[in-house]
Amino acid sequence: MTDTTNQARIFDPFDFLARYGTLIALALLIVFNLAFTRNFASMQTVNVNLTQVCTIVIVAVGMTLVIGTGGIDLSVGSLMAISGALAPMIFLGKIVPIENVYLAVAAAMIISVLVAGAFGLFNGWLIARFRIQPIVATLVLFIAGRGIAQVMTNGNLQTFRVPEFQLIGLGRVFGIPVQVILMAIMVIVAAWVLKRTVFGRQIIAIGGNERAAELSGIAVSKVKLVVYGISGLCAGIAGLVVIAINSSSDANLVGLGMELDAIAAVAVGGTLLSGGKATIVGTLLGAMTIQLVRYTLLSNGVPDAAALVVKAGIIVLAVWIQQQGRHA
């Protein structure tokens, strides 16, 4: 009887779909597009889909670590706006004139990302020190962060043409977009950290049972502080990529709605929203699946509004399958 029960669990369809559903969906989408979407099998189409998904994946890498601990980060879009507003102010010399353009660009990138990371640490501090619910703690910067970015720029659009900076959004190395290379590096590093390091195992342990993790000697507060800091750093990098692509920075629009896209990619990719299970590769596949669904619908004449409804349905289905897999 026990063996039969174990076999039933091993071949449980919901568990199978929770593990491999995203990969199967992505494969089916590719097959469908190869058969029915004109010019799908071209480098231009690959580049379009990859570049449109890059910033989502970069933000979702940090979000995966946060959700892995059982938390959530609603502030990432606003942190992108802060990073995207601060960088042009630095390399255009609006704060302190810097004659050397390379030095100015390097300072802009480093300072902007670190500032976003510091705001992420602030989120972690509220959660770890005062035991505030993550959705409430990060809601503070979700609201105030964009306001900070708007105050920094006086609500004005910042336009620029600085090739040395725009390299991260528009440059290519051996024909591969720099932003895709950046995304790949972040995915590989984060996946390694989550799978192969003590810190990664601590993240999963905290998400699985925070009290038990604390009793086992894990510094829960420190881990939470770090993951929210990493989430802020990822958002800061994504903000730089967005403004580099657009050759402009609009504090009202940079990162708008990004928190929802990132959470959607994480959920569809197989990370449990309640914590305790996280997969960076799954997040990458989740983001690519959502993007490819939208591309497929738009390429076949379906309005964007309808594509958003389908996207919402996919997220609901993914979360439902996860829940069924857990209770099986």
Side-chain angles (χ1 to χ4, degrees):
M1 186 69 177
T2 306
D3 292 339
T4 306
T5 305
N6 288 337
Q7 284 183 353
R9 286 179 179 173
I10 291 171
F11 295 106
D12 179 73
F14 289 110
D15 183 60
F16 178 81
L17 286 174
R19 289 173 180 271
Y20 305 110
T22 307
L23 188 59
I24 293 169
L26 186 60
L28 291 174
L29 281 166
I30 292 171
V31 171
F32 176 86
N33 280 285
L34 287 171
F36 298 105
T37 303
R38 184 178 298 177
N39 299 324
F40 179 75
S42 66
M43 283 307 300
Q44 183 179 0
T45 300
V46 172
N47 282 333
V48 165
N49 282 289
L50 280 177
T51 52
Q52 288 188 358
V53 85
C54 275
T55 50
I56 296 173
V57 173
I58 290 170
V59 174
V61 163
M63 187 70 76
T64 302
L65 301 182
V66 166
I67 291 177
T69 65
I72 199 84
D73 190 350
L74 299 181
S75 71
V76 289
S78 296
L79 297 188
M80 285 176 66
I82 290 173
S83 174
L86 181 58
M89 294 174 68
I90 296 172
F91 65 67
L92 292 176
K94 294 181 179 180
I95 300 176
V96 176
I98 303 175
E99 296 297 327
N100 187 302
V101 67
Y102 294 101
L103 183 60
V105 166
M109 288 182 174
I110 294 169
I111 293 171
S112 299
V113 171
L114 288 179
V115 167
F119 277 113
L121 287 174
F122 173 74
N123 286 332
W125 178 67
L126 290 179
I127 293 162
R129 176 69 178 83
F130 298 103
R131 304 282 183 175
I132 299 173
Q133 288 290 328
I135 196 169
V136 176
T138 58
L139 190 63
V140 173
L141 280 175
F142 171 80
I143 298 168
R146 195 166 296 278
I148 292 169
Q150 290 167 341
V151 168
M152 287 165 58
T153 60
N154 293 319
N156 296 324
L157 176 70
Q158 298 183 92
T159 58
F160 51 84
R161 188 169 294 278
V162 182
E164 293 82 1
F165 172 77
Q166 292 174 269
L167 176 72
I168 64 169
L170 302 175
R172 290 175 179 270
V173 177
F174 302 115
I176 303 172
V178 170
Q179 57 176 306
V180 173
I181 296 171
L182 182 61
M183 175 192 76
I185 291 170
M186 293 180 69
V187 166
I188 291 168
V189 171
W192 178 80
V193 167
L194 199 56
K195 283 284 186 184
R196 303 294 182 186
T197 67
V198 173
F199 177 66
R201 289 192 287 272
Q202 288 175 339
I203 289 173
I204 302 304
I206 291 169
N209 189 322
E210 184 175 325
R211 181 61 180 158
E214 202 164 20
L215 291 173
S216 69
I218 295 173
V220 172
S221 295
K222 187 180 292 184
V223 172
K224 286 187 176 182
L225 199 65
V226 173
V227 294
Y228 281 94
I230 292 172
S231 182
L233 292 173
C234 291
I237 293 169
L240 298 185
V241 172
V242 168
I243 67 167
I245 293 169
N246 296 331
S247 304
S248 64
S249 172
D250 186 347
N252 301 297
L253 297 177
V254 172
L256 193 64
M258 181 58 75
E259 56 283 333
L260 302 181
D261 286 335
I263 293 168
V266 173
V268 172
T271 294
L272 290 178
L273 294 181
S274 56
K277 177 189 174 186
T279 164
I280 298 293
V281 174
T283 295
L284 172 63
L285 295 175
M288 291 175 67
T289 300
I290 292 171
Q291 167 58 28
L292 199 51
V293 165
R294 185 169 177 270
Y295 176 85
T296 303
L297 294 173
L298 294 177
S299 298
N300 289 277
V302 179
D304 194 35
L308 291 174
V309 174
V310 174
K311 174 180 168 182
I314 290 170
I315 296 164
V316 172
L317 179 62
V319 174
W320 181 75
I321 288 172
Q322 285 181 14
Q323 293 300 321
Q324 299 305 309
R326 290 186 73 191
H327 298 310

